[in-house]
């Protein structure tokens, strides 16, 4: 199964992906986590990604495609995976299609977690990660609306998209996602 968890920053993609990966027994790839690890370890990708992640901009598509291709080559991805935070642009969606086609795979589901902006801002301010400051969060939401949200139509036209209410207890949201996958 290739599951894409989709949604604005802070809707709970990372939270749900970790739980679902465990429940479904498949790998979890978070591009956000991959960039944060690269930044921490000061790799070449990390040095490149830092200014984008710090300011809430999208890391350039070619860098994202490189990190995803590398990760998905790993053994643990053979049984499928949950993609968390990728794709975020049409170019990334095209790169993913190319990657999967080369492996004889296709996307099984795209689940969009739907959460209102006020709830997102409150959640992220409470978390308080370095990029969780109100001005940067608003920038991330703007980038999401301009560059990522248009993918909803792309996946809807392919018949792959289900939207799930992401407001509520974490367990409740997990159940809604599992129902959407059934
Ligand atoms: P990400 O790491 O993907 O982070 P996110 O979108 O902010 O968070 P997510 O939706 O996963 O929310 P989470 O579960 O953590 O991106 C960070 C940056 O990396 C981007 O701004 C960009 O610069 C870069 N990047 C990543 N992928 C990229 C790509 N493909 N292309 C280009 N750039 C890319 O939840 C947030 C908070 O809410 C947590 O504190 C959590 O505990 C809480 N929460 C979750 N569910 C809840 C619930 N049901 N109720 C209450 N709180 C909840």
């Amino acid at each position: 199964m290739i599951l894409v968890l989709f949604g604005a920053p802070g809707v709970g993609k990372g939270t749900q992906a970790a739980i679902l990966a465990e429940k479904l027994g498949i790998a979890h790839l978070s591009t956000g986590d991959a960039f944060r690890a690269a930044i921490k370890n000061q790799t070449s990708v990390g040095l490149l990604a830092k200014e984008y992640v710090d300011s809430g901009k999208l890391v350039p598509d070619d860098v994202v495609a490189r990190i995803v291709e590398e990760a998905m080559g790993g053994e643990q991805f053979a049984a499928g995976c949950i993609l968390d935070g990728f794709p975020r642009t049409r170019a990334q969606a095209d790169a993913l299609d190319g990657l999967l086609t080369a492996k004889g795979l296709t996307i099984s589901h795209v689940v969009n977690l739907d959460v209102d902006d006020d709830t997102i801002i409150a959640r992220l301010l409470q978390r308080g990660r370095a990029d969780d400051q109100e001005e940067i969060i608003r920038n991330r939401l703007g980038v999401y609306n301009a560059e990522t949200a248009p993918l909803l139509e792309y996946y809807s036209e392919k018949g792959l998209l289900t939207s799930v209410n992401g407001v509520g207890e974490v367990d409740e949201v997990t159940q809604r996602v599992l129902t959407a996958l059934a």
Side-chain angles (χ1 to χ4, degrees):
M1 173 193 281
I2 307 286
L3 167 62
V4 174
L5 270 188
F6 196 90
V11 293
K13 300 182 295 290
T15 303
Q16 293 300 326
I19 298 168
L20 291 163
E22 180 88 32
K23 280 192 189 289
L24 301 171
I26 54 177
H28 167 203
L29 173 58
S30 159
T31 42
D33 285 350
F35 289 128
R36 283 184 289 277
I39 290 168
K40 192 169 166 222
N41 296 326
Q42 299 189 313
T43 66
S44 57
V45 164
L47 294 174
L48 226 156
K50 187 173 176 5
E51 65 164 292
Y52 297 96
V53 174
D54 284 353
S55 59
K57 291 186 202 139
L58 292 183
V59 176
D61 289 331
D62 57 325
V63 181
V64 181
R66 227 192 307 154
I67 209 165
V68 170
E69 187 169 2
E70 210 176 285
M72 287 183 76
E75 189 98 323
Q76 73 274 31
F77 287 92
C81 66
I82 300 177
L83 296 173
D84 154 17
F86 174 83
R88 265 169 148 108
T89 63
R90 180 56 198 269
Q92 291 181 22
D94 291 342
L96 176 61
D97 287 344
L99 246 167
L100 294 178
T101 303
K103 291 173 180 285
L105 299 169
T106 52
I107 295 173
S108 321
H109 303 272
V110 177
V111 173
N112 174 47
L113 295 174
D114 201 11
V115 176
D116 59 281
D117 285 3
D118 288 346
T119 304
I120 286 175
I121 291 169
R123 279 184 189 179
L124 293 180
L125 286 177
Q126 194 180 6
R127 176 172 65 183
R129 203 170 67 193
D131 57 340
D132 290 339
Q133 298 162 44
E134 184 148 358
E135 200 187 319
I136 302 173
I137 298 168
R138 290 199 185 277
N139 190 24
R140 285 156 64 196
L141 287 169
V143 169
Y144 170 80
N145 287 325
E147 299 189 49
T148 307
L151 286 179
L152 288 169
E153 198 180 331
Y154 175 72
Y155 285 124
S156 171
E157 280 170 3
K158 286 177 173 276
L160 292 170
L161 183 74
T162 310
S163 270
V164 162
N165 179 5
V167 181
E169 295 295 325
V170 170
D171 289 357
E172 258 179 291
V173 178
T174 306
Q175 279 314 315
R176 289 182 200 137
V177 176
L178 289 171
T179 304
L181 299 181

